Amino acid sequence: MSGIALRDITGADRGFNVGADVLTHTADGVPLATVYAEIMASLEEWNRDRGLISRLFTFDTTDPFAQLAKDPKPGEDFEEESEFGQPKAARIEADWLRMGYPLNWYDSATRFTRRFLRDVTADQLAAIHADRLEADTRLTFRKTLSALTDKTVAGSRKTNKEGYEVFDLWDGSAGETPKSWGGKTFTGTHNHYLVSGAAAVDSADLEQLILTIQEHGYGLPESNERIVLMMRKESAIPDAIRGFRRGVANNNGAVAKYDFIASDATPAYLTAESIIGSVPPGTWNGLPIFGSYGDAYLFESYWIPEGYVIALATSGAGSARNPLAFRQHANKSLHGLLLTSDDTAANYPLQNKFYTRGFGVGVRNRSAAAVMQIKASGSYDNPTWP
């Protein structure tokens, strides 16, 4: 083979990974290891937050179910004491209910070629990461709220993977009766999925939602609990509520028992009236508030479906009295939004990554929330979440 010109043989041709093959920086000179470290740090912070709605109205659990005592029948009354003999022995008959919590896994992938990583900037990688965080927010928000708003009567409810029935709020199913509270008893037709009976919201609708929760002992100011009414932003519902005045008729002839009070984040305005009591805060537990009506704070968001008002009572983030349980895996290393990979190549920590979250949301306190659909007639329809 003498006299034949051979091309230059590179390290890759010999089976070696030479220095030129190792990608270490983005196009704008930021080390990929630094970008990766920043992404992991932001995930840690993200998991502490977990979204305002999900955090404020849930509590954490790793259990597949909660075992709850049903309302027992009252025992014997006290007897008038007698000099002779002994009183009857009192006993109650306890019955138990197991309420299941789901647990499902969700994931999303990012896949970058080495050529893409050579040309990309650190800001572009950060934007892609931020987009995945936003998708995680949508997922947890949608699953949290749909656990409340989806009416699933007995016989049509799902079961979790351990075989326990996953419940909704009180839905009027036969044989399911809320526990009595404060001397008030309830029937098996008790329902927390309401229909307004008119095409426009009125003050009586809000008062009914508040009462539906407070008559069970939830959302009472003396218990340091708060009811939040959630509705779609820039829709007819919050626009009407802003006009409610005590003693004045509003939509459908309803006469308001309370005034709408704008929060302290409202733009300044002039009024001849004075406020008795405190002005609601513009932000409460991180949640933006636009005002109050009676004992309820008001929250509006474009994520809330049109035509619904959702009422929730909360004792604060993580309280066991909150309406929902947020279930995660028993292994704590699998909690939160994770970034994992099947690619073990240390030189390319971002090349083939999977965002993974395992969680499920189930109703724990069926009396601590209520939902009303604003429509003229018909039965309650489960909303469609974005």
Side-chain angles (χ1 to χ4, degrees):
M1 298 180 63
S2 60
I4 299 177
L6 297 177
R7 64 180 177 85
D8 183 43
I9 301 177
T10 64
D13 294 322
R14 295 192 178 105
F16 292 97
N17 293 313
V18 298
D21 292 333
V22 179
L23 181 62
T24 59
H25 291 72
T26 60
D28 52 350
V30 179
L32 284 177
T34 299
V35 175
Y36 181 69
E38 290 175 351
I39 286 176
M40 297 306 292
S42 69
L43 278 177
E44 183 178 355
E45 182 65 28
W46 187 260
N47 288 325
R48 277 196 293 265
D49 180 57
R50 203 188 65 195
L52 296 172
I53 301 300
S54 179
R55 186 181 71 248
L56 190 56
F57 300 108
T58 67
F59 65 92
D60 291 330
T61 186
T62 59
D63 297 330
F65 67 91
Q67 183 162 291
L68 308 178
K70 295 183 179 179
D71 199 8
K73 296 180 180 179
E76 298 288 342
D77 290 335
F78 272 68
E79 305 173 44
E80 184 175 348
E81 187 179 281
S82 171
E83 184 178 354
F84 306 99
Q86 296 181 352
K88 296 177 183 178
R91 65 184 296 272
I92 61 172
E93 296 180 4
D95 195 8
W96 299 89
L97 172 69
R98 289 185 172 181
M99 301 180 67
Y101 304 142
L103 177 61
N104 298 294
W105 291 90
Y106 307 89
D107 57 17
S108 176
T110 56
R111 296 183 176 92
F112 305 135
T113 65
R114 280 179 287 179
R115 177 174 295 180
F116 174 82
L117 289 174
R118 287 191 185 100
D119 297 332
V120 74
T121 65
D123 286 344
Q124 287 175 303
L125 288 176
I128 294 170
H129 175 62
D131 176 72
R132 292 302 82 205
L133 296 184
E134 174 61 24
D136 181 64
T137 292
R138 293 196 303 271
L139 174 66
T140 55
F141 182 88
R142 183 173 65 247
K143 293 298 182 181
T144 298
L145 271 298
S146 63
L148 282 175
T149 60
D150 287 359
K151 181 178 180 180
T152 54
V153 298
S156 65
R157 298 184 186 126
K158 295 180 180 179
T159 58
N160 64 13
K161 294 177 182 178
E162 291 81 9
Y164 299 109
E165 191 173 15
V166 179
F167 284 78
D168 55 355
L169 304 175
W170 297 110
D171 55 34
S173 293
E176 296 180 1
T177 307
K179 296 177 67 173
S180 59
W181 184 84
K184 183 169 185 176
T185 58
F186 304 91
T187 67
T189 60
H190 191 69
N191 197 342
H192 281 223
Y193 295 98
L194 310 172
V195 174
S196 66
V201 69
D202 58 52
S203 58
D205 296 331
L206 304 193
E207 292 156 13
Q208 183 180 4
L209 282 167
I210 294 169
L211 175 62
T212 299
I213 293 175
Q214 290 185 334
E215 66 184 356
H216 297 279
Y218 291 92
L220 298 171
E222 58 266 32
S223 302
N224 199 30
E225 297 181 355
R226 177 64 64 179
I227 292 176
V228 177
L229 301 181
M230 307 173 64
M231 60 208 71
R232 186 172 181 83
K233 189 177 181 66
E234 293 186 0
S235 69
I237 294 176
D239 289 348
I241 292 173
R242 286 180 168 92
F244 291 170
R245 296 294 179 266
R246 180 183 178 185
V248 178
N250 51 82
N251 289 337
N252 312 313
V255 178
K257 294 182 178 180
Y258 310 98
D259 287 308
F260 164 78
I261 305 297
S263 75
D264 60 16
T266 301
Y269 60 96
L270 295 173
T271 177
E273 301 171 330
S274 60
I275 295 176
I276 299 175
S278 58
V279 175
T283 302
W284 180 73
N285 281 316
L287 198 69
I289 300 297
F290 73 87
S292 67
Y293 184 81
D295 289 333
Y297 284 163
L298 308 175
F299 166 78
E300 57 182 351
S301 169
Y302 292 114
W303 293 112
I304 305 298
E306 183 81 46
Y308 291 82
V309 181
I310 305 167
L312 307 98
T314 178
S315 300
S319 171
R321 282 179 58 83
N322 288 343
L324 297 165
F326 190 93
R327 181 187 174 190
Q328 297 186 88
H329 197 275
N331 185 343
K332 288 188 177 181
S333 68
L334 299 178
H335 289 190
L337 181 62
L338 307 175
L339 191 62
T340 61
S341 177
D342 291 334
D343 185 358
T344 58
N347 291 327
Y348 308 105
L350 296 174
Q351 191 168 348
N352 190 25
K353 288 295 180 183
F354 307 106
Y355 290 84
T356 305
R357 184 185 281 277
F359 77 103
V361 184
V363 171
R364 164 60 175 82
N365 296 305
R366 303 180 74 185
S367 304
V371 188
M372 179 177 286
Q373 185 178 9
I374 307 300
K375 69 175 186 177
S377 61
S379 56
Y380 176 88
D381 302 312
N382 291 339
T384 301
W385 287 90

